[in-house]
Every structure is written in C-alpha cells, then in structure tokens.
Amino acid sequence: MFPLRLIAVAAGAALALSALPARALDVASFSTEVSPCADFYDYVNGPWADRTELPANRTRIGSFDALRVANDRLLSQALAELVAQPALQKTPGLKQVAAYYASGMDLAAIEAQGLKPVKPLLDRIASMKSAQDLPYLLAQLGRVGIAAPVGSFVRADVKNTRVNVLTLSQAGLGLPDRDDYFKDTDIAKKLRAAYRLYAQRLLASAGFEATPAVLDALMGFESQLAEATVPRAQLRDPLKVYNPMTTPELAEKAPGLAWEAYLKALTRSDTRAGGVERLIVAQPTFMTRVALMAEHIPLATWQTYLRVRVLENSAARLPQAFADADFDYRGVAINGLEQHAPRDEEVILMIGGRTGGSPLGLALGELFVSKAFSPEAQRRATLLIGDVKAAMKTRIQNLSWMSPETKLKALEKLEAMQPKIGAPPTWPRFEGLALDPKDFAGNQLRAAAWFHGEQIKDLDRPSDRTRWTMSPHIVNAQAGGLNEITFPAGILQPPFFDAKADDAVNYGGIGMVIGHEIVHHFDDRGRQFDSIGSLRDWWTASDAEHYQALADRVVALYGRYEPVKGTPINGRLTLGENISDMAGMPIAFDALQNALRRSGKTDKIDGFTPEQRFFLSNALVWRNKSREAALLNQLRTDPHSPGKYRVLAPMSNMPEFAKAFDCKPGDAMVAADPIKVW
C-alpha cells in the first residue's frame, strides 16, 4: 500500500469568507424556521446565506472557497518571503515558483514586455504561406500548451495502464460550450456577442485587422469546429473516446492534414519512423473535420483563429488592454463578476491552475507543505481511510443484486486501490527550466514547453503510479485513472478535516469526500475499469443491466431539480459525481458507525447525536452562495451538481438520515422509494 503522509495547515489560517468556526459545528447559525425534514440544506445554511453578501470579486463563497482563500493567503505570504529572501529558495521548485510569482506581481514589467513573449508565435502565424504550413504550426502551438484546435497529452493507455501513450482530443473553442454556437437562448446570444467583442479587442490591441468580416469568418470557423465537437455528456463514455490508431490510419480517417508531419513536430521524434507508432484519437470525427478545414478554409481565416488562440492563452498575463478584455469576457460575461480578485490570488491561480495540475502546480504544493505538518492528522486520517474502505467492502459483500463473480472482482479492485494523501514523497527538480522574474507571459510558455517535453519523455514508457497530478495546496480530491484516490493537504483542514474534532464531524466532512472518491471508481464510468485502472469489462451482463437501471434512476432524480428556474441539472453530465455522492455518503455513515463502536463515544455534543452531527457537518461542507451567471455556467458545463443538491439528494434517499432527525414518510427529506446504488 502507498505510504500515507498527511499534511494539515495550522488552525490559525482564517476562513475569511465563511462564518464557520475552526473547530466546531456552527450550531448557533441553524435555522429556527426551517425543519431539517423539510429542507436540510436550508435548515443548516439558510440563515448564513440570508445574512451573507456576495463580494463583487467572487463568483461564489462558501466552505470550499473560504478554505481556498486561506490556503492562498498562506501561499501569498510564503511566496513574498521567497521573493524577498532568495536564500530561502533552497530547492529547484522553490526557485522557479519564486521567479514565476514575482513576474506575475510586477505589473510594470508586464506592461514593459508588451507582446514580446508571444511575438515569435504571432510571427510564425503571419509567415504561413499555405495550408502546408499548418501541421508544423499546430504542433508548435501544442508544444506550448495551446490546443488550437487539437489537444494532446501523454497518459497511461486506458486499456493497458502499464504503458503511456499519446492521445489527441478535440479542443480550441472560444465559447464555454459547443452548444453556445447554435442555441437561440438569451444566454447563448449574450455569450456569442461577448466572445465576438473579446476576439475583436484581442486582435485590435495586438494590431491585427478586426473588421466585422474578419469576425464573421472567425465565428463561422469555430462554428464548424463546434458542429463536430462531441457533447460533454457523451465524453463520459470511456469506450467512445478510446480509438487506437496508427499514424497511417489517422491519415486515412482524416485526410487533408499531414498528420505524420504534425506528430513528428509535436513529439520532436524525427528519428522514430512515423513520429508516433500508435496513438489514441479521442474523437475521430473531430479530427476529420479539422483536416477538412485545413484543406478548404482560407489561410487568412486560419491565421485569425490561431492569433485569437495565442492571444487568449496569454491574455491574463499580458498588458492591461489584454487582461481587461479577458476579465470582461471570462469574469464578467461568463461568471457575472464585478471586480477582480486580489492580484496575489489571481497569480497563484494562474501558476497552479484550478486543480494544481499546471506545470508549476507542484512547486506551489512544495511551498505549501513546508509551512505545516500534523502528525496527529496522519493517525486520524489513516483510521478514516481504513474505516471507509471497510464500509465499502461490507456494502459490496451485502449487495443482493450482484453475482458472486462480479463481487469478487469488485473486492479485488477495492483492495488494490492506491491512496495518495497529503503530498508526494518527492518533488520535481524542474531540470531544464529557467523562469524570468520579469516575464510573466513568457514564463507561462516556458513552463508549458518544459511540461510538454516531460510528457514526451514518458511516451511509450511504463506509467509512473507514484506521480501526483494534483498539487497539495488544492482544496479538492480526485479519483485518478490508475485506480488511485488523492486527498491533497489543502483539503485536510476544517471544515473537512480536523484532528481535534469528534469523529462525527470528520466522517461527515472528509470521510464523505473519501467515500465519494472511492465510489468514483465504481460509478457508471469508473466501474468499467479494473483493479489496475485498465478499461476492461469485469461485470456479468445481468449485473451491468441492474446497475444501469439504478444509474438511470439517479439521472431522473437530479433532472427534477431546477437550481435556476427553467434550467434543471443535467442528470447525464453529472451522473458520475451524483452516484459518488449518493453512495459515498452512506458509506461514510457506515464508517462512522465502525468508529463509534471502536471508541464507545456516543454522547451528544451541542445537543446533537453523532449521527446528527455527521449530517450537519456534511451540509456545512456544501455551504455556498453563487452568482446566477456562474451558477448557470455550472449547470451548462460542469459535471458537478450545485452544493445544495449534493445535500438534498443523498440525504433524502438515506433512511439513516430520516431516523437521525425523526423524519416521517411524506416529509420532503424522505424519498418514497429510496435509491441505493451501492
């Protein structure tokens, strides 16, 4: 089993955007007007939402966001120290991240640089003479992280996870979703107008032609790409996005683009025949469309499109004219923001990315981890992991509808699951990377090029199961593709985890997160992978049919919720997350019962039983308040349901919840026919 190493930030980190106390349930804030059996989310969080104003510079506030802000504050202080005291930059990662952060905070240097960081790419686009230049140019952009319009990455082959393979995927749209190019809704029309203005501002600020005719051609170009783009919900089927090919097979499937030249340039593998012997094409019809457009779309339109992609990629790191255009589109038009977040937060986000998977994400994690360590947290969380896995094991063993044959395989998979907790055992050395404290946009491209080079080194090599793809500073968790579960140090803090809190609070918080991530490997998508994470059908036909019927019920349940009137949750898009909530919560509750039997501590605290405190803790975790624009964007594009429904749906389908709060049949929080997936 992977060695457990837990990190927790000191309790002094303030949760600035939340009323949550650091070490107790906020029982005084619960509603006296809403019954827990009528709407448990509003019972716990309604008064907080009523008295809390959404700041002009936030799309959402709540438990997740408050903890992220606390982590960012810790990082901001530590980064400022690194920049001011170079002697503290004792590792390659700390040296690189200090330079990156300094460049992001130096607005004068950003203005002075102008377009210099992206000029080589823009010059290369301008020098195109014909469509014959496209393969190399698209590869050159791909090597610095610009997917225009083809994305590429190296990861474990999902049908043979012991080896890495190159994958090509659809990408390159400027609007949030492919449907936004075609729908006649007010939101789609607004977004199209906003994106058109954004493109116009980027092009004009860079000195390029941005006439209505140029913008019409750009929108027409992207509409053709969108038409061939596979909808989000369909991308969840791993079999549909697994299309292995040789380079000649790709060329036959998608004639019109010199794929061999593209792949050779992308991988810089001139000494290897064909560039890449075998690759995975996630969406073949999209590649066919790209190749067709390469052959038939005027070169000038391609140049406009590629210029917008280059400028868009770096806009937030370029001078004010570009950064303002980017904020007005992404911040205001898409998410309804009124002001920028503090500059240090924005820079930390641009360095690490939303999930810490950016090239320098782990350097931020290294710095974060260096600031705090909790041995007590290690002991408590080790017990949590064990209890939740044991509860899942019992659930599998007791399933009445699953055959012994499938149960055996499920138990093998559960036993083989690899936990990654807190932080990786070693940190990247960033060999060959040199960042400049005066060149923010240039650093982005250098880091991306370095990261791409590291990926190409992995091509056709054995997969590394010890590698982390989520930085420890992130407030999140994930179920990785190699039958692994990752819980970064960033989330191992109140209100999710507290080594000094009672078991009920921890099992309702991080315990449910653990259950959620375990179940991801058994949700409608994850269940199709085996004990080493390879895509292989280990289900009997009757078991698979029964599971699909349960999944369809979950789709229907969430599809009945309308977070915004007239806009329901997309039950298909969110199915994996919803199943993981629906099953993760009962599993965590079962794990709590194991812990209570072990400790014998079943007394009430603050007037609530351990079972009640479990559910109260979980509802506090999902406390949030969002802008309507951001919420609408989430409902259209995000595989996660809004926080309120991550409380209402699982709890109303748990008889244990009804028993804990003495809810009766007919109450809103009591499902007439509860759904039990696992």
Side-chain angles (χ1 to χ4, degrees), residues 581-594:
D581 283 345
M582 293 285 289
M585 192 178 296
I587 291 166
F589 185 87
D590 290 351
L592 172 63
Q593 303 312 302
N594 293 338

Side-chain angles (χ1 to χ4, degrees), residues 299-313:
L299 188 63
T301 301
W302 268 102
Q303 289 174 312
T304 297
Y305 168 75
L306 294 173
R307 284 168 181 147
V308 171
R309 294 284 76 79
V310 168
L311 294 169
E312 171 195 49
N313 179 66

Side-chain angles (χ1 to χ4, degrees), residues 18 87 156 187 203 210 230 379 462-463 546 551 608 635 641:
S18 172
I187 293 176
L203 291 168
V230 179
R379 182 186 67 82
S463 56
H546 189 98
F608 294 100
L635 291 170
S641 296

Side-chain angles (χ1 to χ4, degrees), residues 492-516:
L492 297 175
Q493 305 171 55
F496 300 90
F497 178 81
D498 183 349
K500 299 184 182 301
D502 60 291
D503 280 332
V505 170
N506 280 327
Y507 283 77
I510 199 67
M512 192 276 181
V513 175
I514 293 169
H516 175 98

